[in-house]
Amino acid sequence: MYDVDDAGDMIHIRHSWSEIDKLKSTKNTDTRNIPVDHLTAVQLMNQARLNPEFSEMSYVFYAPHNPKEPFYPGYYADVFYKALEQIGVSDEEQKDRNMVFHSLRHFCATILAQRADMKIRKKLIICVILCQIPGKNIYMHNFL
């Protein structure tokens, strides 16, 4: 589902996808709202409109072989592991260092925490606090 609000600069996470179950509710059935800057929201909407099956039920990142389905989650992991291989990280080293696709999330959070200026860090702290208020439904992991 494209669920991009380019007027309100928000991405709404209402569903999950698996190759077995197809479209389903999120793992805890909660809707999450992710604030994004306006340019990102507009670019995501433009990407969604490229889908030949564009509608309220279409995907922003659709499968080339079937625009009624999203890119399979495994696609991103496959690209990640291929990139690791190309830079010389062996399968053994990946296992020893527990390098999985999800590691990128932690890596990005660490870099952001180390390099973001204080103004950005303060905004993130406020967001993290707001995310913990029941009913707010803003999704962001606490990494500060």
Side-chain angles (χ1 to χ4, degrees):
M1 311 294 116
Y2 73 82
D3 284 344
V4 177
D5 177 2
D6 58 344
D9 299 333
M10 194 76 64
I11 299 172
H12 306 288
I13 307 297
R14 298 181 176 128
H15 302 94
S16 180
W17 174 271
S18 79
E19 295 177 39
I20 296 170
D21 300 323
K22 306 296 181 196
L23 189 65
K24 59 184 183 175
S25 65
T26 60
K27 65 181 173 184
N28 62 2
T29 69
D30 288 345
T31 297
R32 294 179 180 91
N33 300 308
I34 303 171
V36 295
D37 66 273
H38 184 67
L39 181 59
T40 300
V42 169
Q43 289 175 330
L44 288 170
M45 276 304 300
N46 289 340
Q47 174 63 36
R49 288 185 182 103
L50 293 175
N51 187 326
E53 302 286 334
F54 178 72
S55 73
E56 288 186 11
M57 298 300 288
S58 61
Y59 296 95
V60 174
F61 301 104
Y62 55 90
H65 65 280
N66 182 1
K68 293 181 180 181
E69 292 186 354
F71 265 133
Y72 282 1
Y75 169 80
Y76 300 102
D78 291 346
V79 170
F80 174 70
Y81 295 122
K82 185 174 183 176
L84 288 175
E85 180 182 307
Q86 289 175 343
I87 63 170
V89 180
S90 68
D91 289 343
E92 184 177 325
E93 185 177 359
Q94 290 175 38
K95 289 175 187 169
D96 290 345
R97 294 177 58 190
N98 193 27
M99 296 176 77
V100 295
F101 182 72
H102 187 78
S103 302
L104 288 175
R105 179 177 176 171
H106 298 284
F107 173 76
C108 290
T110 299
I111 295 299
L112 184 59
Q114 291 172 348
R115 297 185 184 174
D117 65 25
M118 189 51 73
K119 182 178 178 182
I120 292 172
R121 291 181 71 163
K122 285 179 182 178
K123 286 181 181 181
L124 290 172
I125 290 169
I126 291 168
C127 183
V128 168
I129 292 167
L130 288 176
C131 293
Q132 296 174 12
I133 298 173
K136 281 291 184 186
N137 291 329
I138 298 174
Y139 183 70
M140 177 178 278
H141 279 267
N142 184 348
F143 55 81
L144 295 176

